[in-house]
Amino acid sequence: SENMRRIQGKNTRPEMVVRALLRALGHPGYRLHRGALPGKPDIAYIGRRKAIIVNGCFWHGHDCKKGSRRPNTNQAYWIPKIKRNQDRDLINKAALAELGWNYLVVWECELRDVGKLSTRLREFLG
């Protein structure tokens, strides 16, 4: 539990990279971690009703190399925890859609190809 206390949930390196890309693309004016929205999306454009969710591959069970890796220790804890994160993500995305919000999920592994990620962000924001 000491390790878990040290893990950040906000302003992570992947989130900061995405925010820097958004500014470079000319899309400032976002709001961070809006508690009034389901799941508190990392980045929200309120007027456009668009949210960007930045997920860590391991923590949210992405199907990439890092995300599909199974922990070697305490699997009885980690595997259900990651499954709960995935279930919660589905619920939050459905709730955002029900409120009329569009959302984009950016995975940590996508930061390796900044050009491709920039294109995705540009297309999403219009």
Side-chain angles (χ1 to χ4, degrees), residues 14 16 18 20 22 46 58 66 84 89 113-114 124:
M16 299 301 277
V18 171
L22 291 170
I46 305 299
F58 173 77
K66 186 175 183 179
R84 285 192 310 271
D89 291 344
D113 189 346
V114 175
F124 175 69

Side-chain angles (χ1 to χ4, degrees), residues 62-120:
H62 190 222
D63 58 3
C64 69
K65 182 179 176 182
K66 186 175 183 179
S68 60
R69 188 184 89 224
R70 293 288 175 224
N72 292 329
T73 59
N74 206 4
Q75 287 187 356
Y77 172 77
W78 286 109
I79 292 172
K81 169 144 181 65
I82 292 167
K83 177 69 172 126
R84 285 192 310 271
N85 288 347
Q86 291 173 323
D87 293 343
R88 186 189 64 228
D89 291 344
L90 287 173
I91 291 166
N92 289 334
K93 289 186 279 190
L96 279 171
E98 190 174 310
L99 292 172
W101 281 71
N102 292 321
Y103 61 85
L104 175 70
V105 177
V106 175
W107 292 96
E108 179 182 13
C109 62
E110 293 178 302
L111 300 177
R112 288 186 219 131
D113 189 346
V114 175
K116 189 173 179 181
L117 179 57
S118 294
T119 300
R120 280 189 69 212

